[in-house]
Amino acid sequence: YTRPFPCPLAPVPSPAAPSASMAAALRLGAVVVWCATLMVLFVGGLGDSSISYDHQNTSYVANFTPVTVSLAASASATLTPFFSPEHSLDTLVSLIDDASTSVDIYTPSASSWVSACAGYTDDDLATCTPGCTPLEMKNESFPVFPALINAMHRGVGVRIITNDYGLADCDGTITMLQYLKLAGAEVRYFTTVTFVHAKFTSVDGGRRSAVSSINWSKASTTKNREAGAIVEGDDLGSVNAFMQDVFGFDWAQAYPLVPSDNWSTEDLATITDATDLAVVLPVIDLYPGLYETPTPTPLSAAGANVTVQASPDSAWDTLEAALAIATSSLEIAMYQVTTDDLCDQILDLSNSGVNVSLLVSSRIYDESDCEDAQACYAKLYSGGLRFRKTSLHYSYSHNKYWIVDGKEVGWSTGNWSPSDYPEHGNVYPPEGSDDWWKTNRDFTLYTDSAAAVNLFQTVLWNDWYAPAAYDWEPEYDIYCGY
């Protein structure tokens, strides 16, 4: 879902430290960095006040144990880190273009770049979602959309798991996922736990898989700082197979999207036209001084260890153990930290002598998440930890990665939040049960590949010193909303 809105384009100054007047303006939301179409759910779900997307109807018993591969020095295995806004779209389009048999996708939602096709309404009494005409939708400018259409034209099977927000398209209009379904994709709605929050694209049954923080929205792909990596190679087959197994499990639990069948012959001819569509990658215009990440290049993982883990299965235990081994440093680039025990663990590590460097998003979209993050950050600050907010020249810094002792990097589709890393038993009942827990499906990967660690570190420290990145202080805290 998206919410297009008009806004003035006001430049954000980048002094060494914010003035009092600037800080006040930021807190009041008077400074607008970019005018963009924002996706209401791009950070992975509404607050607890709305669970329209929750269609879990049976208890989920966690059954996916993390898989670790220890690679030989001669292993065929690569990791290709990539970062938004510079290289999200070219990487994902290239991955889809490389598919010869199949594309499997988790996406929390799908946000059109065309305002008429946005598929969002803020009318609480609405009984349908307004889209656009099939011809307008065919001209969708989000590059992943035509790339998937073209893949289907060459015989590639496309499967998409997403969330059902409870409103069908209004009669005579169509939105992105409905169009893809009628064009030949299989689209199903997630039911395993509360919400699918994973951002995952896999081709040819797991030959290559991208795991990242990148959503299907214009902000995520052109305005945010995001992070991920492609996993590939015969000797990483068990890692990709693990993610395919999780996808297959969720696919079997999911129910199909059923689009309207009230289309004219002309409309159906538009949707099923076998002519390939143009894929146009936008020019990403970075603010001067922001770090431009390198063109994604496969990095050998030979000789390294690679671990993959799904949420909620063993998610908390795996993350807690990964952080607990830190003895010298912990570097974190995280959209939000809202789990009390993770907040405490960060502070405990800092107080024990571990050099903790924490870089958090200057903005958090959801009000409830923002309040929880503010409480954590205030606790860290009161406990003596000093940390940074990311540049205001990104709409959001939605990345989620961390580096332990300069030797191992973890990156995830989930935030350091209770829904992504739940402190819960192995059984997750549906809402209404006494033991219900709002829970997301996510992936996390870890590796001690020196090349991968070095690249993530390079990005983190360039973002640390970026223009309009500031120290977090009680009077200069993060902004809730946009």
Side-chain angles (χ1 to χ4, degrees):
Y1 290 159
T2 59
R3 182 195 300 270
F5 64 95
C7 58
L9 185 62
V12 176
S14 53
S19 66
S21 59
M22 178 183 174
L26 288 172
R27 289 197 297 273
L28 292 170
V31 177
V32 178
V33 181
W34 279 293
C35 185
T37 297
L38 292 181
M39 179 176 160
V40 169
L41 294 168
F42 91 104
V43 296
L46 296 170
D48 291 335
S49 61
S50 172
I51 52 170
S52 64
Y53 49 77
D54 182 2
H55 299 283
Q56 180 185 0
N57 52 32
T58 60
S59 291
Y60 173 63
V61 180
N63 62 102
F64 291 102
T65 304
V67 168
T68 298
V69 176
S70 296
L71 297 161
S74 59
S76 171
T78 63
L79 300 169
T80 307
F82 61 99
F83 301 86
S84 191
E86 308 95 302
H87 293 296
S88 54
L89 289 169
D90 56 353
T91 301
L92 293 176
V93 166
S94 177
L95 182 62
I96 294 167
D97 288 348
D98 186 47
S100 58
T101 60
S102 66
V103 179
D104 290 335
I105 294 169
Y106 280 120
T107 181
S109 61
S111 174
S112 174
W113 286 19
V114 180
S115 61
C117 306
Y120 170 72
T121 176
D122 57 5
D123 182 358
D124 293 338
L125 300 179
T127 58
C128 63
T129 301
C132 58
T133 68
L135 185 58
E136 288 172 320
M137 191 71 248
K138 183 178 181 180
N139 293 318
E140 169 63 47
S141 52
F142 174 45
V144 169
F145 174 81
L148 288 173
I149 294 290
N150 296 345
M152 289 188 284
H153 289 170
R154 62 178 186 270
V156 173
V158 174
R159 298 190 297 175
I160 300 171
I161 297 177
T162 189
N163 296 294
D164 182 359
Y165 299 99
L167 290 177
D169 291 355
C170 296
D171 288 345
T173 72
I174 195 165
T175 51
M176 189 185 304
L177 292 174
Q178 284 73 10
Y179 189 106
L180 288 170
K181 169 70 174 180
L182 289 171
E186 293 183 84
V187 183
R188 292 189 182 182
Y189 288 130
F190 182 75
T191 68
T192 307
V193 289
T194 312
F195 190 83
V196 60
H197 189 242
K199 279 70 76 172
F200 168 83
T201 302
S202 172
V203 301
D204 301 341
R207 179 172 59 86
R208 305 174 68 206
S209 301
V211 178
S212 75
S213 61
I214 300 165
N215 287 294
W216 281 21
S217 76
K218 192 168 188 178
S220 186
T221 52
T222 68
K223 299 296 184 183
N224 290 0
R225 170 61 87 208
E226 310 269 5
I230 294 175
V231 180
E232 62 183 303
D234 292 344
D235 291 315
L236 284 175
S238 59
V239 171
N240 281 326
F242 174 93
M243 292 186 283
Q244 287 298 128
D245 287 347
V246 175
F247 185 93
F249 179 92
D250 291 343
W251 183 260
Q253 311 299 313
Y255 61 92
L257 179 157
V258 180
S260 169
D261 59 2
N262 190 26
W263 295 106
S264 68
T265 301
E266 182 181 2
D267 287 334
L268 288 175
T270 296
I271 295 169
T272 59
D273 181 5
T275 305
D276 279 355
L277 303 179
V279 179
V280 179
L281 296 174
V283 175
I284 305 299
D285 186 18
L286 288 179
Y287 185 86
L290 292 182
Y291 178 61
E292 183 173 356
T293 60
T295 300
T297 303
L299 305 175
S300 174
N305 297 293
V306 178
T307 297
V308 61
Q309 160 259 305
S311 293
D313 313 54
S314 305
W316 172 257
D317 292 341
T318 305
L319 176 61
E320 187 180 38
L323 300 181
I325 64 173
T327 58
S328 60
S329 65
L330 176 60
E331 300 156 288
I332 307 164
M334 187 62 54
Y335 173 66
Q336 63 184 35
V337 182
T338 60
T339 298
D340 286 342
D341 283 351
L342 278 174
C343 192
D344 290 340
Q345 188 172 14
I346 292 170
L347 190 56
D348 289 345
L349 287 169
S350 177
N351 290 337
S352 71
V354 174
N355 183 12
V356 175
S357 303
L358 173 63
L359 184 63
V360 299
S361 181
S362 292
R363 299 182 183 89
I364 293 177
Y365 185 84
D366 183 77
E367 293 283 344
S368 177
D369 287 341
C370 192
E371 290 173 5
D372 290 343
Q374 301 276 36
C376 171
Y377 303 159
K379 178 191 291 186
L380 294 176
Y381 187 88
S382 296
L385 182 64
R386 298 297 179 262
F387 51 99
R388 299 272 281 177
K389 302 176 298 180
T390 54
S391 176
L392 289 161
H393 295 295
Y394 296 117
S395 290
Y396 298 88
S397 289
H398 191 238
N399 45 201
K400 313 154 197 314
Y401 65 92
W402 55 96
I403 302 158
V404 175
D405 291 342
K407 297 177 181 178
E408 180 182 78
V409 60
W411 72 97
S412 179
T413 66
N415 300 300
W416 281 8
S417 297
S419 56
D420 302 294
Y421 295 92
E423 299 177 74
H424 194 275
N426 288 330
V427 179
Y428 294 84
E431 191 200 7
S433 304
D434 291 340
D435 197 31
W436 178 75
W437 188 287
K438 185 181 177 185
T439 307
N440 292 348
R441 172 67 85 201
D442 278 296
F443 286 127
T444 304
L445 287 104
Y446 302 85
T447 185
D448 58 3
S449 162
V453 169
N454 180 66
L455 182 50
F456 277 97
Q457 271 186 320
T458 299
V459 175
L460 188 153
W461 286 105
N462 276 279
D463 287 351
W464 185 276
Y465 293 111
Y470 302 115
D471 292 342
W472 188 97
E473 296 181 28
E475 62 270 33
Y476 305 130
D477 55 13
I478 58 175
Y479 180 68
C480 300
Y482 188 88

